[in-house]
Amino acid sequence: MAVRKIVVLGSTGSIGTQTLDIIERLGPERASVVGLVAWRDSELLKEQARRWGLPSERVVSVEREGSEAMTRLAVLDEADTVVMAVAGAAGLAATLAACKAGKRVCIATKEVLVAAGELVTQAAHEGGAVLLPIDSEHSALFQCLAGYDYSQIDKLHITASGGPFRTWDKERIANATVEEALNHPTWRMGGKITIDSATLMNKGLEIIEACWLYGVGEEKVEVVVHPQSIIHSFVELRDGALLAQLGLPDMRLPIQIALLHPEKVDTGIPRLSPTQMRDLTFEAPDHERFPAITLARQAFRAGGTAPAILNAANEAAVGAFLEGKLRFGQLATVVADALGSISATEADTLEKITSADASARRFVREHF
């Protein structure tokens, strides 16, 4: 196998730091870092740059240099692989550029496909890029579908832990604090994705993501709550066969799969033993207590820029909640109001998508 030459967009976040750990463990005969992008010019970014011996032009702080610099590294001639781990839709332009340049694009940022799924998949097709998911659920689907034509899919079942409020009543959920919402029962992630896990908006976004990755309608994607987070998703094929990928909740496995596929190398992480699987439970999500999944389906069915509006309104609302400006119970209401108030247009250009994104963020600022 050729040595992967990797640019990590979002190198100081949870996925980014784990990606660098994996690259270091793989060693220089399998992978090397040729570019780093982080949102802020932090001490961690400087330390990463020193560790990988990168010159200043290969290390970008978006806060200091702007998003154009991120796009510049995403199409770096030396790089064959780009890891998209920038939170939210901020990395959309860089992702499109990497796709057009024919890179292996490892996507940990589900918002990119939610906001611009058609543009991204079209750019990947035209540029000869390979899109590989890092999300544990979509990595599971990808593994289960290996060797099958996607036309054989009958259903995709995305699992959800249920978040910290799975057993709470509606009134208690509505008044949950930031600290309570950030206390995820099985995963340790960044703030935005952790809040999305608490509202189950992450599952709504994953439904849309699955539609673009696997070419299915949203009616073929279901969510099942599985609190133990051992089964990461199921594929139900046309003949009724139900395939699943199992493992301990650890993002290092899906990251390494995306980086190296189809090569298999020991990750060095704890492995799941069959004797650990004695008490696996499953239940349907409660859409009354957690309406985000329904909102995501509505946005996808509406089409055009509606998913971009959904995503941007949610990002802005989550940010406001983390700053103490919104109650937890207002998050879904804010997104629903944005979808109902902002007219969706065709999503055939990046400019239209970014305009819809800006409108949704402005709506949240002005009304809440």
Side-chain angles (χ1 to χ4, degrees):
M1 298 291 291
V3 177
R4 297 279 180 216
K5 297 186 180 299
I6 303 164
V7 171
V8 182
L9 308 182
S11 66
T12 58
S14 174
I15 295 295
T17 54
Q18 290 181 85
T19 298
L20 293 176
D21 288 344
I22 289 167
I23 295 170
E24 185 161 19
R25 189 177 188 282
L26 289 172
E29 69 277 7
R30 283 198 171 91
S32 65
V33 178
V34 297
L36 295 171
V37 175
W39 195 253
R40 293 179 179 84
D41 192 10
S42 65
E43 287 303 314
L44 178 56
L45 178 61
K46 294 172 185 175
E47 179 186 325
Q48 291 172 344
R50 286 193 296 270
R51 165 64 189 86
W52 296 100
L54 296 177
S56 58
E57 64 269 18
R58 297 287 185 89
V59 182
V60 166
S61 161
V62 176
E63 188 178 55
R64 172 167 41 87
E65 299 178 60
S67 59
E68 295 82 4
M70 176 162 55
T71 300
R72 171 175 56 80
L73 283 193
V75 298
L76 196 66
D77 285 342
E78 184 183 347
D80 56 63
T81 301
V82 175
V83 174
M84 171 44 66
V86 174
L92 178 53
T95 302
L96 285 170
C99 287
K100 292 174 182 177
K103 307 295 187 184
R104 170 182 287 237
V105 183
C106 305
I107 298 184
T109 308
K110 56 178 64 68
E111 293 86 353
V112 166
L113 284 170
V114 171
E118 185 173 5
L119 282 185
V120 171
T121 52
Q122 181 180 335
H125 175 73
E126 293 176 353
V130 178
L131 288 177
L132 290 163
I134 286 179
D135 265 354
S136 64
E137 297 81 3
H138 290 94
S139 177
L141 296 174
F142 173 76
Q143 294 172 70
C144 290
L145 284 165
Y148 290 102
D149 190 283
Y150 292 172
S151 65
Q152 300 301 310
I153 297 169
D154 195 56
K155 289 279 186 183
L156 300 177
H157 301 271
I158 296 174
T159 55
S161 71
F165 308 140
R166 181 176 65 87
T167 62
W168 289 26
D169 62 41
K170 191 173 181 179
E171 182 177 353
R172 188 181 176 197
I173 291 171
N175 294 297
T177 66
V178 170
E179 292 73 22
E180 289 169 332
L182 288 173
N183 187 27
H184 196 279
T186 54
W187 294 96
R188 293 294 172 262
M189 307 168 289
K192 196 270 181 183
I193 181 59
T194 304
I195 300 304
D196 282 351
S197 297
T199 62
L200 264 63
M201 178 59 84
N202 66 326
K203 298 301 142 182
L205 301 180
E206 286 167 14
I207 289 171
I208 298 174
E209 190 179 12
C211 293
W212 291 115
L213 283 171
Y214 307 111
V216 298
E218 56 84 21
E219 73 283 353
K220 287 197 170 188
V221 189
E222 301 289 347
V223 173
V224 58
V225 176
H226 170 49
Q228 296 79 25
S229 299
I230 293 296
I231 295 179
H232 298 295
S233 279
F234 300 89
V235 169
E236 185 175 348
L237 298 174
R238 188 176 294 172
D239 59 7
L242 193 63
L243 311 179
Q245 186 262 322
L246 293 75
L248 296 173
D250 193 316
M251 285 304 299
R252 288 173 291 179
L253 178 58
I255 292 169
Q256 182 167 297
I257 288 170
L259 292 178
L260 294 185
H261 177 77
E263 185 182 10
K264 295 291 185 183
V265 175
D266 181 21
T267 58
I269 66 176
R271 296 192 179 195
L272 177 67
S273 166
T275 59
Q276 295 173 273
M277 297 186 287
R278 285 172 287 187
D279 300 303
L280 303 185
T281 61
F282 306 90
E283 59 195 60
D286 185 329
H287 296 293
E288 183 181 352
R289 289 184 299 137
F290 301 100
I293 293 173
T294 300
L295 291 173
R297 290 190 186 278
Q298 291 171 350
F300 185 76
R301 287 196 295 266
T305 57
I309 293 167
L310 168 95
N311 177 70
N314 178 64
E315 279 190 34
V318 168
F321 170 69
L322 289 170
E323 293 171 4
K325 297 176 182 177
L326 283 179
R327 292 187 305 110
F328 189 86
Q330 292 177 287
L331 291 172
T333 302
V334 168
V335 175
D337 287 350
L339 283 170
S341 302
I342 302 170
S343 297
T345 65
E346 290 295 317
D348 52 356
T349 67
L350 180 58
E351 291 72 24
K352 290 179 181 177
I353 292 168
T354 54
S355 176
D357 181 283
S359 294
R361 294 174 194 277
R362 185 167 56 250
F363 177 88
V364 174
R365 287 196 305 271
E366 293 175 353
H367 291 80
F368 300 93

